[in-house]
Amino acid sequence: MAAPPKPEEISHPPMDQLQGLEYCIDSNPSWGEAIALGFQHYILALGTAVMIPSFLVPLMGGNDGDKVRVVQTLLFIEGINTLLQTLFGTRLPTVIGGSWAFAVPIISIIHDSSLTRITDPHERFLSTMRAIQGALIVASSVQIILGYSQLWAICSRFFSPVGMVPVIALAGFGLFDKGFPLAGECVEIGVPMFILFVILSQYLKNFQFRQLPVMERFALIMSVTVIWAYAHLLTASGAYRHHPVTTQKHCRTDRANLISTAPWIKIPYPLQWGAPTFDAGHAFGMMAATLVSLIESTGAYKAASRLASATPPPAHVLSRGIGWQGIGILFSGLFGTITGCTVSIENVGLLGSTRVGSRRVIQISAGFMIFFSLLGKFGALFASIPFPIFAAVYCVLFGLVASVGLSFLQFTNMNSMRNLFIVGVSLFLGFSIPEYFREYTTAALHGPAHTKAGWFNDFLNTIFLSSPTVALMVSVFLDNTLEYKDSAKDRGMPWWVKFRTFKGDSRNEEFYTLPFNLNRFFPPS
């Protein structure tokens, strides 16, 4: 008769850092591998950088040339902000990209009566862009103040593993509408892309060439190349010649009109669209988006720290990163990127898929963003990849980030009915409330908040369309009001508390110390 299993054979002890990662935040692959991995992160970042302007610029009256310039400007600022964040912000390997959180206030500005009455499309585009710029410049002050004053660090004292699990998980899960719904716009491209990416990155991950797991490391670039060529073959063979216009738009490789309209060389510069215009109502609505961006990025930073095999960022490091992100939104307003910035969730997921959390790789990807944004034709070539290809990859990478959020449950007592209630209700409402706002907006062509005060409508509709924001409000409130004094151990606080301060864990110095000996001037708290 077999002996009963020992307790250690049944359960897995909690671990501060993920196991099995090849390179952590401050260890680097060879230069050749790092450059290839950096290029892969650049390709992935193109998806959102092209999608947002492709959606918003036509609504503003802009043409294909305007769209290309906005895409180039957005990529240029993404590169600058990513470098600043990895050097002086949290120092985590995160790409700082464009954010969908700003869509509601931006669409509200686009439909402002003072702008819609402009008859000339190009003039309307320029006037709308300047209004968006002004709102972004003012709204950036929210993150700058909350970050550099350390107010966000103080707020983070109310966070616990139980409270943050729904926030981090919904940073990935909350983007479900950017996954298969977009991949399904062209099933014959999206589904093969999803299958090929999973096969290369998971089933063939142990295949090695010169002791390098090439399939796992470069599954994204390989699968994108194969499916992009397949999509081009379908386009060239006339497979979509008699299909509806919508299908052709999503499936064809020659419908983006990016390459033909892109200049060979174009350097973005501040105020390139003209002097920004300022309106208090526009700015207030945009402030809601900066709050959403702040909360979504907080969850993404914690996920990135885990996928980079680092400790959770201490409160002052997190606040420092938010401050630099505010500077990034200010740059977005000055240069005219059409949207604010946040941590790119898909690039965080790619850290886990490749098992490379190296900071240097992300800094190299920032270099690619800046370089190809200046060389317009070359950048436009890669930016013309059909959207369903990116959406198929998002199905994997968003899910990976969400599961990292769920992994924080290991530090809590999930046999506690209190914790089960908080996590379950927060996750459900994080899905359900934004879905209600989306369905209402689709049916009524305006959000549930529909008063005569446009700024108030934008504020509420933006806040409650964000799954991580709803989850944070619900989970942190419940976690700090339900039996919180007697539940410190169940909440995971004994594990969490040592990471609140810089000196609470000796590993923090290795991961988060500023370069160039700058800690002398900005001592950690």
Side-chain angles (χ1 to χ4, degrees), residues 388-400:
I389 290 179
F390 291 109
V393 179
Y394 293 166
C395 294
V396 176
L397 301 183
F398 289 162
L400 189 54

Side-chain angles (χ1 to χ4, degrees), residues 314-395:
H316 95 277
V317 170
L318 186 63
S319 206
R320 186 176 74 194
I322 294 301
W324 277 105
Q325 194 169 295
I327 297 291
I329 296 175
L330 177 62
F331 285 161
S332 298
L334 289 172
F335 280 78
T337 63
I338 212 174
T339 184
C341 62
T342 191
V343 176
S344 171
I345 300 296
E346 55 268 35
N347 288 88
V348 173
L350 190 58
L351 299 177
S353 177
T354 59
R355 294 194 299 140
V356 177
S358 168
R359 184 189 296 126
R360 177 183 292 172
V361 167
I362 300 302
Q363 291 171 338
I364 291 172
S365 76
F368 278 118
M369 292 175 203
I370 295 170
F371 178 75
F372 284 116
S373 67
L374 301 180
L375 298 179
K377 292 287 186 189
F378 292 102
L381 171 65
F382 299 117
S384 63
I385 299 171
F387 292 156
I389 290 179
F390 291 109
V393 179
Y394 293 166
C395 294

